[in-house]
Amino acid sequence: MTDENPELKAAYRRLEEAIEEVCRLEEFEGVPIEWVVIAASQRFDDDGDGISQVGTLLPGGGGSVPHHRLMGLVDYVQTRLRAVAASDDD
């Protein structure tokens, strides 16, 4: 998809640069090798009904992270979030 759209390709390049910069400022050790951004948006149709869209943004516009690695990243973060939520309930 990004090969067909130079503007989209440039945006993904800026996104990756931003992720690398945030990782540096957050004092991550090493070089970010994989990343996934989960984004959600909300819009309203002509009847005023809300329509949500959830998607993932991947390096280069997608396809460069194998599914098993992507699911592992998401599952790891979800597990950590569940632990934080459980500890907040105390």
Side-chain angles (χ1 to χ4, degrees), residues 41-84:
S41 63
Q42 177 81 31
R43 67 181 176 86
F44 297 92
D45 66 14
D46 293 338
D47 295 326
D49 296 324
I51 300 171
S52 298
Q53 179 180 4
V54 178
T56 55
L57 307 175
L58 302 171
S64 62
V65 179
H67 287 110
H68 69 281
R69 297 291 299 254
L70 177 59
M71 290 185 293
L73 289 169
V74 172
D75 188 49
Y76 177 77
V77 171
Q78 181 182 21
T79 300
R80 289 183 63 190
L81 288 172
R82 286 180 191 274
V84 169

Side-chain angles (χ1 to χ4, degrees), residues 14-42:
R14 290 190 308 273
L15 176 60
E16 186 152 6
E17 290 169 356
I19 289 169
E20 290 172 357
E21 179 70 3
V22 169
C23 287
R24 183 186 70 78
L25 293 170
E26 289 284 351
E27 299 179 356
F28 281 39
E29 295 183 18
V31 177
I33 57 169
E34 295 173 341
W35 54 267
V36 58
V37 174
I38 300 171
S41 63
Q42 177 81 31

Side-chain angles (χ1 to χ4, degrees), residues 2-3 5-17 60:
T2 58
D3 293 337
N5 185 334
E7 187 177 6
L8 184 59
K9 187 174 185 176
Y12 269 98
R13 189 172 43 253
R14 290 190 308 273
L15 176 60
E16 186 152 6
E17 290 169 356

